[in-house]
Structure formats: C-alpha cells, structure tokens
Amino acid sequence: MAETCVICGKEKKIMMADFPLSEEDKEERICPTCNRRLKNMLQTRDPGVFRQEQNYFQSMFYQSQPSDHAKEMLETYFEIGKSFTGEASLDQLVRKETLKQKREEETAFEEALGSFMITTESGFEGYRIKRYLDVIFEDGILGTGLSLSFKGLAGLFASSKEGNQEIEALIGELKKTMKTRLLHQAFQLGANAIIGLDYGTAITEQASTLLVSAKGTAVEIEPLL
C-alpha cells in the first residue's frame, strides 16, 4: 500500500486509516479527510457544498503532488462537474458519462470490425505493416467434467465420440470469446489488424480442466501503393 495519501500527500504513519482511491483502484490509498471530502463531492446535490469540495481538491494540484491516476480521476470529475446543477449528484453524472462512453466505444468497435483483418501468418498480401503495437494475450479455463486418468489431449479426445464432440464444441465457443477479447485489446491499442494469431490447449490433469490460450500481435496496416 502507498506510504502517503495519493491526493494530499499526508504520510501514512500519521493516518489513522486509509481508503482506496476508487472502486476501480484499490492499490492507491487516500487519507480519511480526502475520502470524506471526495464522498461529499460525489454525493451532494448542494451546489455550494460541491464547489467547496471541488475547490479543496483543486488546491491539491498546487499544495501537493497527486499521483498521475489521482490527478487524472480528479480532472475527469472537474470536467464532468461543469454541468453540475444539483438535479443529480456528481456520482450519478459520472456513471451516466461512463455508460455513454462505453456505448460509444462499443459502437466504434462494432464499426471497426467490418474492416478489421486477422491472420495466423506474419502479414497480409497487398498490405504493409505500418506499426507493430503490442503482443496481446488471452487465457481461458474450461472444466471438462471428466476424470482425466490419461495423458495428453489425444487421450482426452479418444475417450468417447459423444464426449469428444461436446468438448470440441466448448473449446470452440471459448476460442470465439477469446478472439473477441483479443479484438477489443487490439482496437484499444489503435490497431486495425492482428497477425500471428495462435491458440494453445493444455490439460491440467489433477483439476480435470483444459487451459486454452490465444495470442497475436496487434498491428496497424495499410494497402500497398
């Protein structure tokens, strides 16, 4: 845990307790005072109280050095707070804005899928790789419901025709889900293609589960002139 409050810089040794910066970030910690005032700013519908708490946190930008994450979060609150009238709390406005952004991102993602390209090879004919962005991974665990007393995948799929078909179908569905997650990762990186897509499958015999992995490289491609 942090040794100081990531907003006001108060040292942990003189803090009676500490609290997570947000629901999403439980690693960075804040002091009781910042926690109380942050809740006030998020939950109040009184414009006077809201401005008072906002001014307190704005002053932290000059009196202390908030962490990058804390600064980014507060700046987001300040921006959304410009529309604060008291009809809804800042917390409600933030949740509404977050939902709006997610919908916009999903719409943009769905539109991008129409031209997104994927290959198991190292490139695409007629295209050049403009940027290599990152190697991306996804892992999944599938319970087979079987007692795996044999060795390897060959033994698994030789167990019975019915069991074979069921497990193949489950693996296929898991691979589809993992592929969609890889596409999301690539899209968020600014890619328009994935190269070197590869799946791996392994058995954890004692746990009667299958481990399925997927990886690829997110890239930006453009047509050859």
Side-chain angles (χ1 to χ4, degrees):
M1 293 184 180
E3 295 299 322
T4 61
C5 171
V6 297
I7 293 179
C8 71
K10 183 180 292 183
E11 293 185 11
K12 186 174 178 60
K13 64 182 180 181
I14 61 174
M15 291 160 52
M16 296 180 62
D18 61 10
F19 301 86
L21 175 63
S22 65
E23 293 180 1
E24 295 75 23
D25 188 348
K26 298 186 182 298
E27 291 298 320
E28 295 199 41
R29 313 296 288 187
I30 58 177
C31 67
T33 299
C34 287
N35 181 64
R36 174 177 56 80
R37 303 197 72 152
L38 188 59
K39 284 185 176 180
N40 284 346
M41 186 173 73
L42 286 168
Q43 296 174 2
T44 187
R45 292 195 178 188
D46 184 328
V49 173
F50 173 78
R51 300 304 174 195
Q52 180 180 1
E53 302 300 354
Q54 184 183 45
N55 289 339
Y56 168 80
F57 287 110
Q58 285 178 327
S59 71
M60 293 298 106
F61 284 65
Y62 305 100
Q63 297 178 14
S64 63
Q65 293 292 326
S67 70
D68 290 342
H69 191 184
K71 186 176 181 180
E72 180 182 355
M73 184 190 75
L74 289 172
E75 287 176 337
T76 298
Y77 289 167
F78 297 158
E79 183 63 28
I80 296 175
K82 290 179 180 179
S83 61
F84 182 86
T85 62
E87 294 183 6
S89 67
L90 179 61
D91 186 51
Q92 291 172 319
L93 293 175
V94 168
R95 293 179 186 277
K96 182 178 179 180
E97 182 65 23
T98 300
L99 181 60
K100 177 184 175 182
Q101 290 178 356
K102 286 183 178 179
R103 287 174 176 169
E104 290 175 348
E105 289 173 0
E106 285 300 317
T107 298
F109 175 67
E110 292 295 331
E111 292 175 352
L113 283 183
S115 58
F116 214 97
M117 299 177 68
I118 303 177
T119 182
T120 58
E121 305 297 329
S122 59
F124 303 90
E125 185 176 354
Y127 291 83
R128 77 176 187 89
I129 296 175
K130 185 178 179 181
R131 288 191 301 158
Y132 289 87
L133 296 167
D134 204 354
V135 178
I136 50 180
F137 303 88
E138 277 294 335
D139 294 301
I141 299 176
L142 179 66
T144 66
L146 300 175
S147 176
L148 304 181
S149 58
F150 37 76
K151 300 292 184 181
L153 289 172
L156 172 63
F157 291 112
S159 57
S160 71
K161 182 177 180 180
E162 183 178 344
N164 183 354
Q165 292 175 340
E166 181 180 356
I167 292 170
E168 283 185 334
L170 290 172
I171 291 175
E173 287 300 314
L174 182 56
K175 284 183 176 180
K176 287 181 181 178
T177 299
M178 294 168 69
K179 180 180 176 181
T180 300
R181 291 175 180 171
L182 285 179
L183 287 168
H184 268 285
Q185 285 191 49
F187 174 72
Q188 290 170 355
L189 290 169
N192 60 0
I194 297 174
I195 61 172
L197 179 64
D198 183 49
Y199 293 100
T201 309
I203 290 178
T204 301
E205 187 170 339
Q206 293 82 355
S208 296
T209 57
L210 290 173
L211 306 179
V212 182
S213 61
K215 66 178 181 179
T217 302
V219 297
E220 182 183 357
I221 60 173
E222 61 182 10
L224 293 173
L225 298 178

